[in-house]
């Protein structure tokens, strides 16, 4: 292969030396995230060489010279699709900034950032908590997060910000105090299950547009938060900050809190419960039932659904055959329950995209991987979480369509889970569910970014690699999460190995053709800003 | 070279960025713009990128920027395609003087020794004394009364005292040391250290020595003596000459005093003196280089204006490049005046002084097709100025869109250096990569760089880990033990062995005396094995200056006072036959030299590993090493090996491999690992693949007013940090536990055996699987007795370590004593109940006179005179063992 660059005035062949040097860069891609190469097709070599920021355009060469698109460095949605590179992010500790807006273990994070940079990681993910920033309604204190953003920028890394409108129990990061206080007198702002137990880690989606927060609706409050974020972080947005995840519910995910306790690995999780019993949800259900001419169906949720930890066959709702989920009532209820979730997602994502649409950041939303009981016909875990996805109905169509409408991308956690490591008899299948969601997203041209559920899952890294580099590769992955375990001798060496193996070119530089006699193509380019490339 | 830079970073984990800053300050004297391919990482490599966005200095320097740019004839600022100010640092030598004065203090009895220095800086006198009758050249700490206020003891042989200005107006920083001439002190030794730059000022590579007594019979002739630093030499010889002229008057005054007979014979005569010496300090001076690029509307050519405020003749060594690779090319003429072609690779232009100000500059007119303009500045034959070890790079193409994008962040200079630090490494890789592109050794070089980067990453990760780890409440190891108790540890790793190991220390301090220890121990092999030991630690096998083996000389000579190499092999074979693993005691920290260097200092090695003084660390003034600074503490009695040297590591790895192969050792006991970075240990262990390894990280516990602190977290943290640096590939002796047992047992303070979180207070409470617990060894006990376990309480100690997690080690002297049967019973209780290095301890009592714990819910134990009986609940406990002040139960 020989590649020569022709400028408008003179022609200069890249000498063999330079080519050699490019080749070498490929193998050093792991140490330098700016030079990455992936040869997915046996005879094509693509590289994105951005050694200096003055070089605004990366070139893409292929042996067959089918096309050479100018690729702008910017991450605008239009071009990033064609950027044939994989970007790896690592999540910062959940409590990187906590009470009082101080940066926790800043020294450790500093060292960690340097290590990640040297390793060739693209950037880090930073959870930004509502409860940390907005201690008083409408007053925002971003100081801790600004400090982290500066550290990240200094380290030469990118930043993906997750806006968290929920609370965390471990480490404990509550909702803003003033919200909790409102909740004490007005518990209906939270979701409730059949027994009336409230889930207080995030607001119920039924109050999105109700003025329950001192005269403001939650959506208005979220909007204020996002706008303040945007103006405060404007120096970073588009340069250091390349992506923003909009918090959509429990753990930031678009779902109902159908499982109160996080699933323990290695145990079989129950089906969870429908969360439609707070006053506002019940009101919505009632209106919907009346509008559909079945007012009696609007009095409550399904009476024959099992409870949180029970298996699907314990009651009649989720039964594989003849379960009420397949009855007209079941369809009525599930349609309503899932459409409320999609509407909620739509409210928040359209808000986010209207605020951040004029910047260069991508907006993401997280969709959970409710993989338990996937091999049953009813998919109960997905149903209780709000995804009307069964053996006979693709519930992710509506979700993907909603993301597409708002030009948002989907973050899918659980890319580290493999069927093989699921408990025996659990009837769960993370791999099939992942495949289904990704196919649906492809259909709606919604880009998918990956995330793992927990570091240290057995075979997790291999599974992630499979997902990242497989037939249908993803270009952005966020690895969770920096902390003691992450850097421990039990974990970090394997992570290093993992990162190195990701950036290893499939073709060894020695095997890349470098003989000038094999000249087959040249690419023309010119120096003016409207860079123009041709194949000769 | 990048490797060197990185190595220097690796040495000092706590000061990660400081060494780098030092490197940056060094004047780049080795520039060779021909891109010498043999030195791919030399600063001359030209393929480095420079990213002007990172010259955040622009913001800072904006006022001077206007001033500088303003001097050019630039019709309108719109023409400017690019402008930037590069800060440069150059080293200026500042001369000053320092003096040494010896005179009588006011009361005429005591004498005063004064050292002063006129240069600005944070000066520290690093000093020690030698006593009458000392034969070696080693320093000792001066008596307490001699130490001026503010002195800090450094290890056990030196003192650091800061020099102070007596008053603001003084030119000199001074330190005064009062001493009594009647004391036993023979000489004061010192070197000067500048804390600001970390530089040491020595006397021709040695320490300065001021003899306080004339001990002619010792050295014969001080002036002409060949010994290392026991002499005056060079410029200071005259002092000793002066001192040798003994004068009766002084002798009189001393003879009046009461002196020991010994010193009377010394003909002690002191004479005051004052001597000045010139001293040169390198100070970095900041200057600016401003560059502006504009396009000439008439000719369409690009004009680069370069200007600087560096005084004197400045030559720009420059070229252009056609693409990102930044390969130097010579552009077509015309060139500015005073330009010459340098070796067909670059152009040299002398900057012309400007009419206004102390500036000089030049204009370079170039065709517009060039991609970038590269340059470095040459100040004189030896001094080159570069941009952060790289060429200055000025983009010529497509730059119009750039202004406005930089200067967006303001930051402190410290942050800049941390930023430039990662960039620096990346650039160095690029340099290496491009410099090597045509070389055959590409693969190996590539590997080297990868390894050094990976080492760097590992070290950063280890740092992050230790901070995260210490800031969380639950220790990861607990989690590990939780999961691993369900399926007993079967994985063998060098940090733990199988997890069920019990170690026997197979020698004491006297073992070398019989000269046939290997044979004697062979007789006992089956006996030791039958007691339940799985691993035995043999004494250091190499030729050694000291008979016990801890001052190794020729590492490949395994004939020692313990026996011959063949006897050793025979012993190892017998031990293997009875099912035991064998640890070799390897001394990697230091090595005794075979020969002296030209200064008469022992630092040249012989034998198969005939290293020279590059293998010796540079920061121990006693051994004049030419290696890098030590990555740990120095062992004072022998040259400390510089593990940052690749050849040293390669040789040591080979040696360990040879010991494994040739002798059949299964693992290592690593001597004095405080002396070098744990990451190197990891390297050695990975190369030699031991079955088990344990390091001796022994430093002192924390005491307040002579009483041991209850909280020894900082002590165990240091040990854990070391284990962590080895990535858990080695365990470490749990010195903390031993120390706490001392206090607890000796003073009847058993409450000490529980830490604030209710866990064992030693390393075993934090990282049990890597803690090798012990109560005595050849140094602490035996005939040395440096830190002997409280007498009569040994069995309480063993009742503790043999029932608790960690890997217990039993000392030879205790096995072959009246404790033997009790120890054997404890071992069998441990084995019978499957207690292993990660077993869970539940402390049920930690009171004044009794400590009790239940381990894995299978074994209960108590030590101390107080009362304890295990609860009679669901489990039924039966007494397994009872002795003086201890009891052990097991479930039945």
């Amino acid at each position: 292969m020989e590649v020569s660059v022709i400028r408008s005035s003179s022609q200069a062949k890249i000498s063999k030396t330079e080519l050699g040097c490019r080749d070498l860069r490929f193998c050093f891609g792991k140490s330098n995230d700016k030079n990455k190469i992936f040869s997915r097709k046996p005879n094509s070599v693509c590289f994105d060489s951005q050694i200096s920021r003055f070089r605004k355009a990366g070139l893409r060469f292929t042996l067959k010279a089918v096309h050479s698109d100018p690729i702008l460095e910017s991450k605008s949605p239009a071009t990033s699709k064609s950027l044939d590179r994989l970007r790896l992010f690592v999540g910062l500790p959940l409590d990187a900034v906590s009470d009082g807006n101080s940066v926790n273990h800043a020294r450790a994070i500093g060292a960690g950032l340097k290590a990640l940079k040297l390793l060739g990681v693209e950037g880090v993910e930073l959870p930004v908590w509502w409860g940390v920033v907005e201690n008083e309604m409408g007053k925002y204190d971003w100081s801790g997060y600004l400090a982290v953003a500066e550290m990240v920028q200094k380290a030469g890394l990118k930043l993906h910000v997750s806006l968290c409108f929920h609370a965390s129990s471990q480490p404990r990061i509550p909702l803003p105090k003033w919200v909790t206080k409102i909740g004490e007198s007005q518990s209906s702002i939270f979701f409730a299950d059949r027994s009336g137990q409230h889930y207080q880690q995030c607001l119920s989606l039924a109050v999105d547009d109700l003025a329950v927060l001192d005269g403001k609706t939650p959506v208005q409050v979220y909007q204020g938060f996002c706008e303040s974020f945007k103006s405060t972080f404007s120096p970073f947005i588009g340069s250091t900050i390349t992506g923003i995840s909009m918090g959509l519910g429990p753990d930031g995910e678009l779902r109902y809190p159908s499982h109160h306790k996080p699933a323990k690995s290695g145990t079989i999780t129950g089906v969870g419960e429908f969360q439609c019993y707070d006053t506002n949800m019940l009101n919505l259900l009632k209106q919907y039932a009346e509008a559909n001419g079945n007012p009696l169906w609007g009095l409550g949720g399904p009476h024959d659904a099992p409870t949180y930890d029970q298996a699907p066959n314990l009651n009649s709702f989720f039964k594989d055959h003849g379960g009420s989920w397949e009855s007209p009532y079941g369809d009525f209820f599930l349609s309503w329950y899932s459409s409320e979730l999609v509407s909620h997602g739509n409210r928040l994502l359209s808000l986010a995209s209207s605020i951040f649409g004029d910047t260069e950041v991508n907006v993401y939303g997280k969709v959970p991987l409710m993989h338990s009981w996937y091999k049953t016909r009813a998919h109960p875990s997905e149903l209780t979480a709000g995804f009307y996805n069964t053996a006979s109905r693709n519930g992710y169509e509506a979700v993907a369509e909603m993301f597409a409408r708002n030009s948002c991308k989907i973050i899918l956690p659980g890319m580290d889970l493999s069927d093989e490591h699921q408990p025996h008899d659990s009837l769960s299948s993370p791999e099939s569910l992942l495949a289904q969601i990704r196919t649906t997203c492809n259909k709606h041209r919604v880009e998918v970014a990956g995330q793992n559920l927990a570091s240290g899952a057995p075979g997790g890294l291999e599974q992630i690699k499979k997902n990242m580099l497989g037939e249908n590769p993803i270009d952005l992955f966020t690895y969770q999460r920096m902390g003691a375990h992450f850097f421990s001798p039990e974990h970090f060496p394997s992570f290093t190995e993992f990162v190195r193996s990701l950036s290893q070119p499939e073709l060894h530089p020695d095997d890349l053709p470098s003989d000038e006699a094999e000249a087959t193509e040249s690419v023309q380019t010119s120096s003016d800003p409207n860079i123009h490339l041709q194949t000769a | 070279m990048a490797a060197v830079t990185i190595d220097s970073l690796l040495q000092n984990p706590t000061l990660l960025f400081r060494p780098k800053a030092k490197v940056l300050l060094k004047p780049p004297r080795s520039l060779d713009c021909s891109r010498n391919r043999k030195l791919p990482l030399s600063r001359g490599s030209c393929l480095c990128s420079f990213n002007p966005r990172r010259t955040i200095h622009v913001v800072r320097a904006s006022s001077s920027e206007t001033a500088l740019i303003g001097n050019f004839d630039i019709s309108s600022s719109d023409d400017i395609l690019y402008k930037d100010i590069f800060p440069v640092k150059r080293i200026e030598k500042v001369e000053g003087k320092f003096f040494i004065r010896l005179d009588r203090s006011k009361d005429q009895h005591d004498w005063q020794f004064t050292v002063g220095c006129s240069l600005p800086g944070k000066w520290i006198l690093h000093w020690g004394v030698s006593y009458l009758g000392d034969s070696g050249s080693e320093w000792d700490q001066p008596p307490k009364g001699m130490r001026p206020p503010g002195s800090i003891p450094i290890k056990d042989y030196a003192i650091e005292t800061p020099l102070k200005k007596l008053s603001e107006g003084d030119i000199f920083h001074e330190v005064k040391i009062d001493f009594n001439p009647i004391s036993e002190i023979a000489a004061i030794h010192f070197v000067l250290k500048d804390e600001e730059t970390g530089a040491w000022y020595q006397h021709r590579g040695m320490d300065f020595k001021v003899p306080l007594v004339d001990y002619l019979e010792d050295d014969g002739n001080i002036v002409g003596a060949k010994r290392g630093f026991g002499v005056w030499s060079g410029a200071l010889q005259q002092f000793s000459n002066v001192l040798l002229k003994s004068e009766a008057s002084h002798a009189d005054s001393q003879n009046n005093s009461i002196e020991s007979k010994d010193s009377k014979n010394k003909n002690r005569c002191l004479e005051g003196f004052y001597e000045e010496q010139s001293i040169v300090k390198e100070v970095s001076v900041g200057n600016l280089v401003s560059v502006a690029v504009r396009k000439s509307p008439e000719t369409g050519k690009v004009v680069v204006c370069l200007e600087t405020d560096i005084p004197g003749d400045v030559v720009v060594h420059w070229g252009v490049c056609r693409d990102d690779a930044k390969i130097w090319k010579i552009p077509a003429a015309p060139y500015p005046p005073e330009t010459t072609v340098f070796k067909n690779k670059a152009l040299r232009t002398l900057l012309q002084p400007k009419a206004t100000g102390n500036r000089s500059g030049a204009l370079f007119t170039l065709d517009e097709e060039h991609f970038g303009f590269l340059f470095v500045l040459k100040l004189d034959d030896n001094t080159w100025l570069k941009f952060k070890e790289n060429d200055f790079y000025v983009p010529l193409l497509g730059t119009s869109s750039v202004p406005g994008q930089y200067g967006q962040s303001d930051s402190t200079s410290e942050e800049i250096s941390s930023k430039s630090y990662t960039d620096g490494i990346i650039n160095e890789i690029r340099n290496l990569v491009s410099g090597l592109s045509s070389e055959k050794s590409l693969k190996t070089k590539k590997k080297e760089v990868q390894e050094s980067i990976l080492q760097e990453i590992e070290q950063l990760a280890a740092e992050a880990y230790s901070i995260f780890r210490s800031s969380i409440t639950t220790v990861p190891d607990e989690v590990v033990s939780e999961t691993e108790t369900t399926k007993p540890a079967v994985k063998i790793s060098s940090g733990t062995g199988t997890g069920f190991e019990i170690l026997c220390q197979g020698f004491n301090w006297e073992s070398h005396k019989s000269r046939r220890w290997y044979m004697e121990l062979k007789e006992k092999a089956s006996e030791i094995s039958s007691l339940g030991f799985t691993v035995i630690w043999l004494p250091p096998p190499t030729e050694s200056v000291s008979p016990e083996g801890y001052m190794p000389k020729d590492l490949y000579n395994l004939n020692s006072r313990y026996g011959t190499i063949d006897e050793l092999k025979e012993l190892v074979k017998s031990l293997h036959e009875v099912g035991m693993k064998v640890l070799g005691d390897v001394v990697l920290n230091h090595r005794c030299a075979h020969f002296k260097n030209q200064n008469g200092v022992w630092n040249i090695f012989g034998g198969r590993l005939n290293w020279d003084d590059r293998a010796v660390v540079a920061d121990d003034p006693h051994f004049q090493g030419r290696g890098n600074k030590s990555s740990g503490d120095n062992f004072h009695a022998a040259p400390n090996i510089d593990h940052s040297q690749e050849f040293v590591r390669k040789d040591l790895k080979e040696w360990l491999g040879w010991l494994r192969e040739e002798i059949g050792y299964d693992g290592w006991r690593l001597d004095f690992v405080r002396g070098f970075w744990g990451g190197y240990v990891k390297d050695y262990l990975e190369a030699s693949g031991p079955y088990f390894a344990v390091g001796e990280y022994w430093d002192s516990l924390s005491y307040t007013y002579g009483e041991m602190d209850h909280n020894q977290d900082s002590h165990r943290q240091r040990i854990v940090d070391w284990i962590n640096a080895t990535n858990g590939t080695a365990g470490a002796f749990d010195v903390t536990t031993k120390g706490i047992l001392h206090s607890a047992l000796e003073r009847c303070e058993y409450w000490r055996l529980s830490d604030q979180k209710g866990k064992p207070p030693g390393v075993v409470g934090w990282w049990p699987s890597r803690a090798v617990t012990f109560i005595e060894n050849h140094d602490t006990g035996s005939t040395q007795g440096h830190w002997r376990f409280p007498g009569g309480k040994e069995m309480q100690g063993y009742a503790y370590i043999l029932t608790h997690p960690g890997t217990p080690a039993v000392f030879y002297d205790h096995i072959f004593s009246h404790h033997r049967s009790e120890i054997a019973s404890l071992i069998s209780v441990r084995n019978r109940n499957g207690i292993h290095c990660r077993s869970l301890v539940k402390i049920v009592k930690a009171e004044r006179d009794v400590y009790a714990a239940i381990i894995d819910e299978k074994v209960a134990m108590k030590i101390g005179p107080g009362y304890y009986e295990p609860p009679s609940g669901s489990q039924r406990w039966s007494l397994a063992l009872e002795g003086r002040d201890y009891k052990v139960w097991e479930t039945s």
Side-chain angles (χ1 to χ4, degrees), chain A residues 333-384:
Chain A
F333 176 77
L334 294 170
S335 303
W336 167 77
Y337 189 68
S338 62
S339 67
E340 286 297 335
L341 184 68
V342 172
S343 315
H344 163 74
N346 186 46
R347 281 191 288 273
L348 295 197
L349 289 177
S350 64
L351 171 72
S353 59
S354 71
I355 292 174
F356 298 108
D358 59 344
T359 66
E360 285 183 15
V361 298
N362 292 315
V363 178
Y364 293 82
K366 198 160 142 195
V367 171
L369 197 68
M370 308 302 299
H371 56 82
S372 313
W373 309 110
Y374 187 80
K375 288 181 190 161
T376 62
R377 289 187 62 238
H379 299 195
S381 291
E382 291 168 80
L383 296 185
T384 54

Side-chain angles (χ1 to χ4, degrees), chain A residues 7 17-18 24 28 32 34 51 53-55 105 107 114 118 154 156 484 488-489 492 500 510, chain B residues 17 52 54 322-324 402 405 419 429-430 433 437 443 446 450 454 456 463 465 468 471 727:
Chain A
R7 294 221 173 77
T17 324
E18 286 170 82
L24 263 163
F28 279 90
N32 173 10
K34 287 180 182 160
I51 295 159
R53 63 180 271 115
F54 289 101
R55 193 176 155 106
H105 17 254
R107 253 187 69 220
K114 271 165 214 131
L118 288 176
K154 300 285 147 50
S488 70
F492 194 73
R500 297 182 67 194
D510 283 359
Chain B
F17 302 110
R54 286 157 195 162
R322 298 219 160 87
D323 55 34
D324 254 355
V402 171
Q405 288 195 9
K419 167 87 179 171
I429 306 164
R430 287 210 189 110
V433 167
S437 55
K443 270 190 199 164
K446 190 178 85 187
Q450 282 180 351
L454 284 173
E456 177 64 29
E463 192 193 343
Y465 177 50
F468 277 127
S471 63
N727 216 353

Side-chain angles (χ1 to χ4, degrees), chain A residues 191-496:
Chain A
F191 286 111
D193 61 17
R194 192 162 45 173
S195 63
Q197 197 189 343
H198 288 282
Y199 175 85
Q200 307 193 344
Q201 307 273 62
C202 70
L203 300 183
S204 162
L205 59 82
V207 297
D208 276 354
D209 286 325
L210 301 180
V212 291
L213 299 178
D214 287 342
K216 280 196 172 181
T217 69
V219 168
Q220 284 166 341
V221 171
Y222 299 152
Q223 182 178 4
F225 186 89
C226 294
E227 277 166 355
S228 169
F229 172 82
K230 185 184 172 189
S231 63
T232 311
F233 286 82
S234 59
F236 297 97
I237 288 177
S239 52
T240 296
I241 298 177
T242 56
I244 291 174
S245 295
M246 187 71 184
L248 300 175
D251 296 329
E253 294 174 338
L254 179 67
R255 65 175 167 89
Y256 290 94
S258 52
H259 288 88
H260 279 189
K261 284 179 209 150
K264 266 192 188 165
S265 66
T267 57
I268 299 175
T269 30
V271 295
E273 276 196 27
F274 292 110
Q275 306 288 320
C276 58
Y277 297 91
D278 69 78
T279 354
N280 300 305
M281 282 298 282
L282 287 173
N283 280 343
L284 291 172
L285 176 60
K286 190 160 170 260
Q287 286 164 24
Y288 182 78
E290 282 163 3
N292 278 274
N294 275 312
L296 289 180
W297 283 356
L299 299 178
H303 68 281
D304 54 351
T307 58
Y308 289 111
D309 298 327
Q310 290 179 338
N313 52 5
L314 259 166
N315 213 328
S316 54
F317 192 82
F318 296 120
K319 275 198 174 139
D320 251 8
H321 296 284
S324 359
W325 63 275
E326 278 187 297
S327 70
Y329 166 74
D331 180 58
F332 156 83
F333 176 77
L334 294 170
S335 303
W336 167 77
Y337 189 68
S338 62
S339 67
E340 286 297 335
L341 184 68
V342 172
S343 315
H344 163 74
N346 186 46
R347 281 191 288 273
L348 295 197
L349 289 177
S350 64
L351 171 72
S353 59
S354 71
I355 292 174
F356 298 108
D358 59 344
T359 66
E360 285 183 15
V361 298
N362 292 315
V363 178
Y364 293 82
K366 198 160 142 195
V367 171
L369 197 68
M370 308 302 299
H371 56 82
S372 313
W373 309 110
Y374 187 80
K375 288 181 190 161
T376 62
R377 289 187 62 238
H379 299 195
S381 291
E382 291 168 80
L383 296 185
T384 54
F387 297 92
Y388 189 4
N389 190 50
T390 63
S392 48
R393 185 183 193 278
N394 185 352
Y396 295 96
E397 290 279 356
V399 176
E401 192 273 326
M402 183 270 290
F403 272 83
R405 198 183 327 138
N406 292 300
S407 315
C408 292
K409 305 184 182 194
I410 287 184
I411 294 181
L412 276 180
M415 294 236 175
D416 52 334
L417 303 179
S418 51
D419 290 1
E420 190 192 335
H421 290 102
Q422 293 310 307
H424 203 57
D425 301 333
S426 71
L427 297 173
S428 119
S429 178
E431 288 177 51
S432 324
L433 177 55
L434 191 64
Q436 190 201 342
I437 300 178
R438 291 184 64 183
T439 313
T440 313
C441 288
N442 275 353
K443 193 174 138 196
H444 292 271
R445 299 185 188 282
V446 173
E447 258 185 76
V448 170
Q451 216 172 78
N452 56 325
L453 216 53
S455 61
L461 291 171
E462 288 71 34
Q463 189 65 25
I464 294 171
K465 205 169 134 188
K466 213 165 111 189
N467 277 316
M468 286 173 91
L469 302 177
E471 279 174 26
N472 186 7
I474 55 167
D475 72 338
L476 182 115
F477 188 87
T478 308
Y479 189 82
Q480 302 297 14
R481 170 178 296 285
M482 191 190 279
H485 174 73
F486 181 81
F487 286 114
S488 70
E490 287 80 26
H491 174 266
F492 194 73
S494 54
F495 179 74
T496 309

